[in-house]
Amino acid sequence: MVTPAPVLSPLPPRRGRSLLGRLLVVGLVLGIGGLGLAVLVDLVTPTRDSKPETPITAAPVRPGSVIPGDAGVVPAPQGAPAGHDPLTEWATKLSNTVDVPARALRAYALADLAMRVERPRCRLSWATVAGIGRIESNHGRYGGATLTDEGRPSRPIIGIPLDGGPNVRAIPDSDGGTLDGDTTWDRAVGPLQFIPGTWKRYAADGNGDGRADPQQIDDAAVTAARYLCSANRDLGEAKGWWAAVFSYNNSTEYGQKVFGVADTYARRSLGR
């Protein structure tokens, strides 16, 4: 499983860098580094006795049999007039319909666009990234946190120690506590709940500020997309989609929940 971390710059970008410019930065960042990571259980619930703020029902579908519905095409920034951000307008308009913060939707759409450039054969939809974001941290709102305009939860999201306790894999500290503040055990961090080792391998600078931060939702969303698309997966077909989601958390119930949420987001985004 994966857990929340840092923040991003407000919209429109403070540095005067266009969305397209930042997307190109993402392309450069994602173009380096290898694929094919054999993923551990990267996602964990923040406390062992915690319960989802709103129950999520697992969709009654057989793993590997179907993928979520079409989520439509998010608006690309190319050709937009100066000072006009079609991606933010799209996210703001859709936010109430799908009950996802516009700031999070924009990050998921950015991840979708980034993969069209870097992994065009992956066919990843923003709705799938959003489905994972909902289950992992309720889009950066876990435990009453709010997602700021900079793209960070109002307080860092850090999971339980991966110490081999009940239903938890033992993963000794791998980053000296740099990301998770724990020098004994690893913990999942950020809105998309990455363990430090996975973050280090796939980290992306999604907002173009020069650093990759697992607490910043643009960085986390593009990193999650890169991870899902690794191993040459094609998420446009059932085998690839389920393999990608199970690589995030190898649980049938988890996969069915992601499916149900992603399918709902996709249908509602098209008015269905």
Side-chain angles (χ1 to χ4, degrees), residues 47 49-54 142:
T47 60
D49 59 351
S50 65
K51 295 182 180 179
E53 296 168 1
T54 301
Y142 179 79

Side-chain angles (χ1 to χ4, degrees), residues 6-56:
V7 181
L8 139 71
S9 52
L11 307 173
R14 287 178 180 160
R15 300 188 176 187
R17 187 178 286 165
S18 68
L19 179 59
L20 176 57
R22 282 187 286 168
L23 193 56
L24 293 176
V25 171
V26 170
L28 292 174
V29 172
L30 297 184
I32 61 176
L35 298 178
L37 173 66
V39 180
L40 302 172
V41 176
D42 301 289
L43 303 161
V44 296
T45 52
T47 60
R48 289 196 176 97
D49 59 351
S50 65
K51 295 182 180 179
E53 296 168 1
T54 301
I56 301 173

Side-chain angles (χ1 to χ4, degrees), residues 125-153:
S125 165
W126 65 267
T128 292
V129 185
I132 290 175
R134 169 64 182 89
I135 294 172
E136 291 307 321
S137 71
N138 193 14
H139 313 298
R141 299 180 293 185
Y142 179 79
T146 57
L147 193 64
T148 69
D149 289 343
E150 293 181 336
R152 299 174 188 275

Side-chain angles (χ1 to χ4, degrees), residues 175-218:
D175 69 336
T178 300
L179 295 179
D180 57 17
D182 192 331
T183 57
T184 302
W185 301 100
D186 270 349
R187 298 171 181 245
V189 296
L192 274 297
Q193 289 289 281
F194 282 96
I195 58 172
T198 305
W199 179 261
K200 181 178 179 180
R201 179 155 188 173
Y202 291 91
D205 176 16
N207 66 337
D209 67 354
R211 64 188 290 252
D213 180 352
Q215 297 289 350
Q216 205 285 321
I217 199 162
D218 293 331

Side-chain angles (χ1 to χ4, degrees), residues 25-260:
V25 171
V26 170
L28 292 174
V29 172
L30 297 184
I32 61 176
L35 298 178
L37 173 66
V39 180
L40 302 172
V41 176
D42 301 289
L43 303 161
V44 296
T45 52
T47 60
R48 289 196 176 97
D49 59 351
S50 65
K51 295 182 180 179
E53 296 168 1
T54 301
I56 301 173
T57 303
V61 296
R62 179 170 56 84
S65 64
V66 65
I67 63 173
D70 180 19
V73 178
V74 296
Q78 290 93 332
H84 177 63
D85 185 353
L87 208 54
T88 295
E89 292 182 1
W90 170 87
T92 301
K93 182 177 180 180
L94 183 59
S95 178
N96 287 337
T97 300
V98 295
D99 188 25
V100 178
R103 188 64 191 78
L105 278 174
R106 185 180 183 279
Y108 303 145
L110 181 67
D112 180 321
L113 292 171
M115 289 306 100
R116 289 190 219 168
V117 174
E118 295 302 318
R119 305 282 187 271
R121 295 182 180 179
C122 176
R123 297 194 288 174
L124 172 69
S125 165
W126 65 267
T128 292
V129 185
I132 290 175
R134 169 64 182 89
I135 294 172
E136 291 307 321
S137 71
N138 193 14
H139 313 298
R141 299 180 293 185
Y142 179 79
T146 57
L147 193 64
T148 69
D149 289 343
E150 293 181 336
R152 299 174 188 275
S154 54
R155 55 177 176 269
I157 302 174
I158 300 177
I160 63 171
L162 301 179
D163 58 6
N167 302 315
V168 174
R169 184 167 183 169
I171 306 179
D173 173 60
S174 65
D175 69 336
T178 300
L179 295 179
D180 57 17
D182 192 331
T183 57
T184 302
W185 301 100
D186 270 349
R187 298 171 181 245
V189 296
L192 274 297
Q193 289 289 281
F194 282 96
I195 58 172
T198 305
W199 179 261
K200 181 178 179 180
R201 179 155 188 173
Y202 291 91
D205 176 16
N207 66 337
D209 67 354
R211 64 188 290 252
D213 180 352
Q215 297 289 350
Q216 205 285 321
I217 199 162
D218 293 331
D219 295 357
V222 177
T223 299
R226 183 185 186 190
Y227 176 71
L228 291 166
C229 288
S230 65
N232 296 317
R233 297 187 187 104
D234 177 3
L235 276 69
E237 53 90 24
K239 180 180 178 181
W241 191 91
W242 286 90
V245 173
F246 282 161
S247 76
Y248 221 86
N249 187 342
N250 192 19
S251 158
T252 295
E253 181 181 14
Y254 181 87
Q256 291 172 327
K257 286 183 176 181
V258 172
F259 178 96

